[in-house]
Amino acid sequence: MSEIIVAVDGPAGSGKSSVSKEAARRLGYAYLDTGAAYRALAWHCLDEGIDVENADAVAERARSFDYATGMDPDHYFVRVGGEDITPDIREPRVTAVVSAVARVSEVREALNAMFRRMMSEHPRPGVIAEGRDITTVVAPDAPVRVLLTATEEARIARRSAEVSAQTTEATAQQLASRDRQDSRVVDFMTAADGVITIDSTDIDFEQTVQALIDTVRSGL
Ligand code: C5P
């Protein structure tokens, strides 16, 4: 394992990806976006015509698909079978089915094993890994564990600013529906024992990055 693992969980639109990536850059740590792997698997199933409701077929792909990710050098890339699909995994058609893929327990087992392997291979002094169950399942023994949260209203406002092609109502509905589906599988709305909560509702991006860096420094 990397010397230091910083585990960050949170709901959709909490800013955990952008905040974790920037904090990792400033600390000189590696960054691991676990949601990107679930998205890449969902993209791969759509691309191959695999029914995302077919748990066995999806699990088989989770164990065998050729996934690669990392910084290149400062752009976070996602590749499947050597093809760069970094922007594609954010497409609405992928977001719409990713929760179905993520609820299959064999998928989670396969991806969790891959995440642990990736964390152990990082040559940097530390890694910030973010997702929904990093603090509780993937790296429950991490020395720093953070739940990054914000009110649903704040999260919808942020997501709406990113997704300008649809109405705020549509964005709100999608975000709430995905959180509802994901919450049935893992609890990322409440902090587990020993997990520090950072609420970004009333602070801006820069302050949230600083809060995460301060939490890392004081936790070590
Ligand atoms: O973080 P992001 O919104 O990109 O995650 C996409 C999806 O991947 C989530 O909606 C969830 O279904 C799944 N996910 C998960 N466990 C994680 C990270 C993401 O189930 N650790």
Side-chain angles (χ1 to χ4, degrees), residues 16 34-36 38-39 90 98-99 102 108 130-134 178 182:
K16 64 188 185 322
T34 61
Y38 286 96
R39 287 173 176 277
R90 309 280 158 200
V98 67
S99 299
R108 305 196 72 80
E130 55 95 350
R132 301 285 192 290
D133 61 348
I134 314 304
R178 192 150 63 94
D182 291 339

Side-chain angles (χ1 to χ4, degrees), residues 119-155:
M119 291 194 288
S120 73
E121 285 166 0
H122 278 302
R124 312 259 187 116
V127 55
I128 299 187
E130 55 95 350
R132 301 285 192 290
D133 61 348
I134 314 304
T135 62
T136 51
V137 178
V138 178
D141 298 326
V144 181
R145 293 181 301 146
V146 171
L147 181 76
L148 185 55
T149 180
T151 60
E152 190 172 85
E153 202 181 18
R155 295 187 290 107

Side-chain angles (χ1 to χ4, degrees), residues 6-25:
V6 178
V8 179
D9 286 330
S14 60
K16 64 188 185 322
S17 295
S18 46
V19 167
S20 298
K21 195 194 297 175
E22 179 57 15
R25 191 187 68 75

